[in-house]
Amino acid sequence: MQKRSKRQRDIVSRLRSGMTLSVAGMAADLDVSDETIRRELRTLEEAGVVVREHGGARLAAPALEGPLSQRMDENADAKIRIARAAVEKIDDGAILFIDAGTTSCFIAKQLADRRSLTVITNSLQVANDLGGINDNRLFLAGGQMDYHYRAFSDHEAQAYVRLFTPHLAILSVGGISLDHGLTDFHPSEAAMSRIAYETSIRTLLGADATKFGRHALQHTAALADVDILVTDQPLSDDFAAAFAHAEVIIA
């Protein structure tokens, strides 16, 4: 899995030139088969990172910039599998809060076939993916945009999100620690997560295996606050015990 993630990053790095590159050329550069490159390009296209063209690919139009776009490239295959599993827990008509984390953005993309959703979000990417389709209602938190995260998470945005009581909050995380609980690297996003855990009836946390055992900057919630955990690899015995209260889904 780590090899695939690195290969996807290498492909994206080559495409940052802005040119359309051929499958054959990328395969030669990375010393893999053409079919391996095609498989990685399919994954990256589903993630919205690249656009495949006849015999090659180019980067998608830069709707995402800076660190968010870079993080969307990381572990894309795992995040897509997590997203596909997560949306099985979400029915038409659900009232959702969706945060601005990359895994949550992947889940939002997979919700494009659901109908009559009410979506509360601070993420411009989530708003772009789910607003204006399928009779959805969208409530986008405003305020000052954080261009690195393509999100609104200042005090004004936090106050707006606090007005809602969603049926389900779909959340990402920076780190999951047995000692420190759930943590995040960005203080304002951590504050937004704390609000979501406080106000939502249920919570769904999407987290790939790299998040476990990692401790980020600010505490957001206790492990016991997670109702549904969707991840890509079986949990260690310690983490399995810590999440024994939750519904754990291995994608």
Side-chain angles (χ1 to χ4, degrees):
M1 190 64 64
Q2 290 181 347
K3 185 180 293 185
R4 286 202 65 187
S5 180
K6 181 180 184 303
R7 188 158 54 232
Q8 290 167 8
R9 290 196 300 272
D10 288 343
I11 290 170
V12 171
S13 178
R14 283 162 171 76
L15 292 173
R16 289 196 194 282
S17 66
M19 300 173 60
T20 296
L21 300 182
S22 70
V23 169
M26 287 186 281
D29 284 348
L30 298 178
D31 194 26
V32 296
S33 69
D34 288 6
E35 182 51 40
T36 295
I37 294 296
R38 291 190 189 97
R39 184 183 68 227
E40 304 298 10
L41 291 175
R42 284 194 293 270
T43 297
L44 290 168
E45 184 177 50
E46 187 167 356
V49 176
V50 307
V51 175
R52 286 191 293 161
E53 298 180 342
H54 182 68
R58 59 177 173 80
L59 280 184
L64 301 176
E65 297 175 349
L68 179 61
S69 65
Q70 295 166 18
R71 290 183 292 116
M72 288 290 282
D73 299 344
E74 297 171 359
N75 302 320
D77 184 67
K79 291 174 182 177
I80 289 171
R81 288 191 286 115
I82 288 169
R84 287 172 174 165
V87 299
E88 294 301 315
K89 306 300 296 183
I90 301 166
D91 296 326
D92 290 348
I95 301 174
L96 308 171
F97 171 77
I98 306 178
D99 75 9
T102 56
T103 304
S104 299
C105 289
F106 276 89
I107 293 172
K109 287 179 181 294
Q110 295 294 325
L111 284 170
D113 291 334
R114 296 292 189 274
R115 301 193 63 83
S116 302
L117 299 175
T118 298
V119 178
I120 305 109
T121 188
N122 64 317
S123 166
L124 191 59
Q125 181 63 46
V126 172
N128 286 338
D129 287 337
L130 294 179
I133 62 170
N134 300 342
D135 294 322
N136 291 346
R137 292 196 302 165
L138 178 77
F139 296 88
L140 177 62
Q144 182 177 2
M145 181 187 287
D146 183 323
Y147 285 97
H148 285 173
Y149 275 69
R150 302 288 292 176
F152 304 90
S153 56
D154 62 5
H155 291 300
E156 184 175 345
Q158 292 167 24
Y160 183 75
V161 169
R162 197 180 287 279
L163 297 173
F164 297 89
T165 307
H167 294 162
L168 182 69
I170 298 171
L171 302 167
S172 300
V173 71
I176 303 174
S177 166
L178 293 171
D179 295 326
H180 301 283
L182 305 178
T183 53
D184 212 328
F185 291 100
H186 190 293
S188 295
E189 288 298 322
M192 193 67 77
S193 290
R194 286 193 290 271
I195 292 167
Y197 279 104
E198 291 169 8
T199 58
S200 301
I201 297 172
R202 303 187 76 210
T203 60
L204 183 152
L205 179 66
D208 66 73
T210 65
K211 305 298 177 63
F212 290 84
R214 187 159 71 172
H215 176 210
L217 181 65
Q218 289 204 358
H219 177 77
T220 60
L223 303 187
D225 293 327
V226 176
D227 295 302
I228 306 169
L229 172 66
V230 188
T231 187
D232 62 312
Q233 294 184 25
L235 302 182
S236 68
D237 290 344
D238 286 344
F239 277 113
F243 282 103
H245 64 281
E247 180 181 356
V248 177
I249 300 170
I250 310 299

